[in-house]
């Protein structure tokens, strides 16, 4: 019986993990991105794409989607990331812009050429370009 | 200068009441591209056979921001502000309230490869010199190599070229053909070498875990002494430990002034709050006619990452150099 409960719990957890897609503005010249490049963009080691300045967007720390994104792409715990951004503060760098919801991210990306953000895969429409799809 | 500092500090204190403020991350002024932060540290030193020394080591205020391709950073620091010799009733406390220009620069990023920095900046040489402040570095003390091999600060330009591939490669070209900005403005020296010329180049190769750095350069002091330096550095880091080392040599036109200088450091992370550090250093400095090899054992506790409580003990080949260092440092 315990084994059945365990399997059900595992199934629920797997189904509840949100899939995300990384999107950018249609006018941006980026076609697709590997995980390593996305990581370097989100850590602001890479701030431009060609001549275009990138505006990197994040969701609030409590967001499940952000947690999925950070686990899949950055491979850093929330604490490690906090520490990273404090070291960057000394270097004069700020963390990505934080927006309240995936809808705000989608609207922002549609308006700003260099914007990059992640949203649930179900939110995608034809006005944005998908750069990366999570598999989980 | 003092008034600028007081104004910045006042702005910081009044803005830090804002809801979004988090210790160690600075605060934005309104919706302007202006962020204010700072750091401070207090240090206690007990050297073998000498008096104990309590120092308000530094207080600094930083302001920075970016707009389109431009970004800027200003950092004003007062160092060794208050010193008191403990256990010696005849000694007088020493108070310095002069603020220096630690960093002052403007960056222009042309694209994803080229960036030009103009002003006074940390010389991009080795790894330690890039984040030298107490609260963010691994130990209260700095390795000797970061103080005696090359100028810690440069006042001029730094042209950076970056190529992002499987391993990110960054090349720096440093050029300084004038005195330090602090000397030009305040007629004061705020660098480990009083220089009026510095040319250098460096290559950094980096992936997630491993970094290598090679630098070479030439600098001239204001009394027309020329020095050349070469440095190699490596760093391996994962979530449980870090191994880091730097090795260098320095020469003038006649001889090798520092035939070798090096350190190797192992940092073990216990959870997020605790770090144990073992560092071995060795050098031979012909100008000072000194050779020394020593071990530094350190322990750091960070109740929060921007607050560091550090202790370390140094065992030198000269017994009189042995010392205990304790420090409290905070990043705002």
């Amino acid at each position: 019986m315990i084994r059945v409960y365990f399997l059900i719990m595992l199934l629920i957890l797997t189904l509840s993990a949100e899939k995300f897609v990384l999107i950018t503005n249609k006018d941006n010249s980026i076609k697709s991105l590997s995980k390593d490049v996305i990581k370097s963009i989100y850590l602001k080691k890479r701030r431009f794409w060609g001549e275009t300045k990138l505006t990197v967007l994040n969701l609030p720390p409590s967001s499940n989607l952000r947690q999925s994104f950070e686990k899949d792409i950055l491979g850093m715990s929330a604490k490690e990331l906090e520490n990273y951004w404090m070291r960057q503060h000394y270097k004069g760098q700020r963390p990505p812009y934080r927006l309240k919801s995936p809808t705000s991210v989608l609207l922002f990306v549609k308006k700003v050429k260099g914007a990059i953000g992640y949203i649930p895969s179900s939110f995608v429409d034809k006005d944005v370009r998908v750069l990366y799809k999570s598999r989980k | 200068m003092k008034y600028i500092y007081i104004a910045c500090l006042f702005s910081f204190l009044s803005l830090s009441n804002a809801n979004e403020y988090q210790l160690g991350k600075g605060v934005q002024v309104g919706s302007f591209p202006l962020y204010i932060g700072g750091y401070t540290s207090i240090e206690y030193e007990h050297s073998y056979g000498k008096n104990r020394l309590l120092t308000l080591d530094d207080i600094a205020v930083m302001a920075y921001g970016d707009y389109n391709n431009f970004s800027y950073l200003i950092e004003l620091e007062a160092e060794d502000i208050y010193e008191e010799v403990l256990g010696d009733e005849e000694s007088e406390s020493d108070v310095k309230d002069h603020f220096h220009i630690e960093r002052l620069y403007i960056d222009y990023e042309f694209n994803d490869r080229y960036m030009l920095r103009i002003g006074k900046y940390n010389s991009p040489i080795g790894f330690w010199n890039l984040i030298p402040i107490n609260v963010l570095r691994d130990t209260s003390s700095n390795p000797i190599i970061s103080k005696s091999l090359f100028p810690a600060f440069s006042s001029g330009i730094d042209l950076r070229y970056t190529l992002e591939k499987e391993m990110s490669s960054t090349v720096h070209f440093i050029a300084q053909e004038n005195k330090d900005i602090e000397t030009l403005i305040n007629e004061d020296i705020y660098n480990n070498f009083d220089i009026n010329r510095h040319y250098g180049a460096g290559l950094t190769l980096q992936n997630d875990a491993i970094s290598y750095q090679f630098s070479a350069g030439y600098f001239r002091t204001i009394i027309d002494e020329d020095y050349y330096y070469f440095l190699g550095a490596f760093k391996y880091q994962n979530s449980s430990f870090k191994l880091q080392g730097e090795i260098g040599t320095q020469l003038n036109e006649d001889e090798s002034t520092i035939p070798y200088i090096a350190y190797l450091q192992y940092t073990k992370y216990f959870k997020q709050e605790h770090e144990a550090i073992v560092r071995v250093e060795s050098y031979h400095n012909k100008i000072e006619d000194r050779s020394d090899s020593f071990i530094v054992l350190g322990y750091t506790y960070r109740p929060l990452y921007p607050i560091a409580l550090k202790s370390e003990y140094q065992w030198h080949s000269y017994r009189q150099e042995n010392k205990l260092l304790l420090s409290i440092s905070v990043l705002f």
Side-chain angles (χ1 to χ4, degrees):
Chain A
M1 190 54 122
I2 292 172
R3 195 178 294 173
V4 174
Y5 281 133
F6 178 74
L7 286 171
I8 291 169
M9 285 298 290
L10 196 66
L11 188 65
I12 291 168
L13 283 173
T14 309
L15 290 173
S16 65
E18 287 187 75
K19 281 187 182 177
F20 65 84
V21 291
L22 191 77
I23 55 166
T24 192
N25 188 285
K26 278 226 150 176
D27 294 333
N28 203 329
S29 58
I30 312 172
K31 302 297 176 202
S32 68
L33 292 174
S34 67
K35 272 190 186 184
D36 286 344
V37 178
I38 301 170
K39 182 173 180 175
S40 121
I41 289 171
Y42 262 82
L43 295 179
K44 292 211 179 166
K45 290 178 179 174
R46 181 170 191 156
R47 293 186 288 273
F48 280 75
W49 192 270
E51 312 288 323
T52 307
K53 187 172 184 181
L54 301 174
T55 306
V56 187
L57 307 172
N58 230 346
L59 290 171
S62 56
S63 153
N64 287 338
L65 202 65
R66 174 167 167 174
Q67 286 159 18
S68 303
F69 174 79
E70 288 177 350
K71 190 177 170 193
D72 184 25
I73 302 292
L74 304 183
M76 296 164 83
S77 68
K79 193 100 177 177
E80 284 172 328
L81 264 175
E82 287 276 298
N83 299 352
Y84 173 82
W85 286 114
M86 283 180 204
R87 289 194 299 277
Q88 296 308 302
H89 167 49
Y90 170 74
K91 293 180 176 178
Q93 290 293 328
R94 303 300 299 176
Y97 284 117
R98 191 193 300 172
L99 295 178
K100 283 181 182 168
S101 67
T103 310
S104 318
V105 172
L106 185 64
L107 292 173
F108 194 104
V109 167
K110 283 180 183 179
K111 283 187 180 170
V112 179
K113 185 183 173 187
I116 288 184
Y118 53 87
I119 55 172
S121 48
S122 56
F123 279 50
V124 176
D125 65 30
K126 60 182 173 40
D127 297 328
V128 292
R129 177 177 296 140
V130 174
L131 300 172
Y132 177 88
K133 288 180 185 175
S134 71
R135 288 178 187 163
K136 291 169 189 171
Chain B
M1 186 66 72
K2 198 194 298 185
Y3 300 110
I4 296 172
Y5 165 75
I6 290 167
C8 289
L9 190 64
F10 181 75
S11 312
F12 178 79
L13 290 173
S14 49
L15 288 164
S16 64
N17 288 327
N19 290 333
E20 67 271 22
Y21 176 71
Q22 277 183 282
L23 192 66
K25 288 189 170 178
V27 65
Q28 186 174 15
V29 178
S31 55
F32 299 105
L34 170 61
Y35 297 86
I36 294 178
Y39 57 87
T40 188
S41 71
I42 297 170
E43 195 174 290
Y44 169 87
E45 181 179 330
H46 188 188
S47 299
Y48 180 83
K50 292 181 188 165
N51 285 313
R52 293 165 292 141
L53 196 65
L54 186 66
T55 313
L56 178 52
D57 197 35
D58 50 24
I59 293 182
V61 177
M62 306 186 302
Y64 62 87
D66 70 305
Y67 185 74
N68 292 334
N69 295 43
F70 287 97
S71 57
Y72 66 91
L73 189 143
I74 303 162
E75 181 186 347
L76 305 175
E77 187 192 54
E79 197 178 40
D80 296 339
I81 303 144
Y82 179 81
E83 258 185 23
E84 184 162 342
V85 180
L86 303 174
D88 182 0
E89 290 178 2
E90 290 182 7
S91 73
E92 290 181 3
S93 54
D94 185 16
V95 179
K96 296 172 193 162
D97 62 352
H98 185 70
F99 284 83
H100 305 270
I101 297 167
E102 173 113 338
R103 294 182 290 166
L104 174 65
Y105 59 75
I106 293 174
D107 288 346
Y108 184 82
E109 286 190 69
F110 296 90
N111 50 41
D112 53 4
R113 296 198 173 175
Y114 290 97
M115 192 272 285
L116 179 67
R117 174 167 292 177
I118 300 174
K120 182 176 179 182
Y121 52 87
N122 292 333
S123 305
I125 302 166
F127 294 122
W128 195 280
N129 199 50
L130 302 179
I131 303 193
I133 64 171
N134 191 341
V135 64
L136 295 176
R137 66 189 185 226
D138 297 319
T139 53
S140 300
S141 65
N142 289 299
I144 303 288
I145 194 170
S146 68
K147 293 189 283 188
S148 50
L149 190 72
F150 54 85
F153 297 101
S154 302
S155 293
I157 63 165
D158 171 22
L159 179 64
R160 192 185 73 191
Y161 172 79
T162 305
L163 186 60
E164 295 280 353
K165 289 211 165 174
E166 213 167 280
M167 200 161 205
S168 146
S169 317
T170 305
V171 179
H172 284 275
F173 292 103
I174 302 164
Q176 171 177 348
E177 193 58 57
N178 46 261
K179 290 182 181 176
D180 188 285
I181 286 179
E182 172 70 13
T183 311
L184 292 171
I185 295 175
N186 291 324
E187 296 181 348
D188 212 345
I189 301 163
Y190 203 63
N191 203 348
N192 54 338
F193 290 99
D194 191 8
I195 57 169
N196 54 21
R197 178 178 287 173
H198 182 198
Y199 291 97
L203 168 67
T204 307
L205 302 168
Q206 188 172 20
N207 67 16
D208 248 10
I210 303 173
S211 307
Y212 302 98
Q213 219 265 333
F214 308 95
S215 289
Y218 150 75
F219 64 93
R220 186 178 67 185
T221 65
I222 56 160
I223 52 171
D224 289 340
E225 290 172 333
D226 295 311
Y227 295 96
Y228 302 86
Y229 63 83
F230 300 90
L231 177 138
F234 83 95
K235 182 163 69 174
Y236 174 82
Q237 186 163 18
N238 62 30
S239 55
S240 63
F241 75 91
K242 178 173 75 175
L243 186 65
Q244 178 174 321
E246 296 185 29
I247 184 165
T249 187
Q250 186 196 73
L251 25 138
N252 63 18
E253 286 173 347
D254 302 320
E255 60 166 350
S256 175
T257 46
I258 301 178
Y260 68 89
I261 185 163
Y263 78 87
L264 182 65
Q265 179 180 286
Y266 176 79
T267 307
K268 174 72 183 166
Y269 303 112
F270 301 100
K271 298 182 183 173
Q272 291 285 337
E273 297 89 6
H274 299 268
E275 297 163 18
I277 301 106
V278 181
R279 187 168 72 236
V280 182
E281 293 192 50
S282 188
Y283 68 92
H284 179 198
N285 189 328
K286 284 189 180 173
I287 299 171
E288 294 175 1
D289 192 22
R290 275 180 81 82
S291 295
D292 192 8
S293 295
F294 60 100
I295 295 175
V296 179
L297 288 185
Y299 199 90
T300 299
Y301 170 58
R302 295 177 186 274
L304 298 168
Y305 189 79
I307 301 174
L309 308 174
K310 295 180 185 168
S311 60
E312 73 175 74
Y313 195 83
Q314 301 183 0
W315 278 276
H316 290 254
S317 51
Y318 298 103
R319 194 179 179 192
Q320 61 271 28
E321 295 287 319
N322 289 357
K323 66 175 78 165
L324 169 73
L325 286 170
L326 305 173
S327 71
I328 302 171
S329 47
V330 182
L331 180 70
F332 301 109

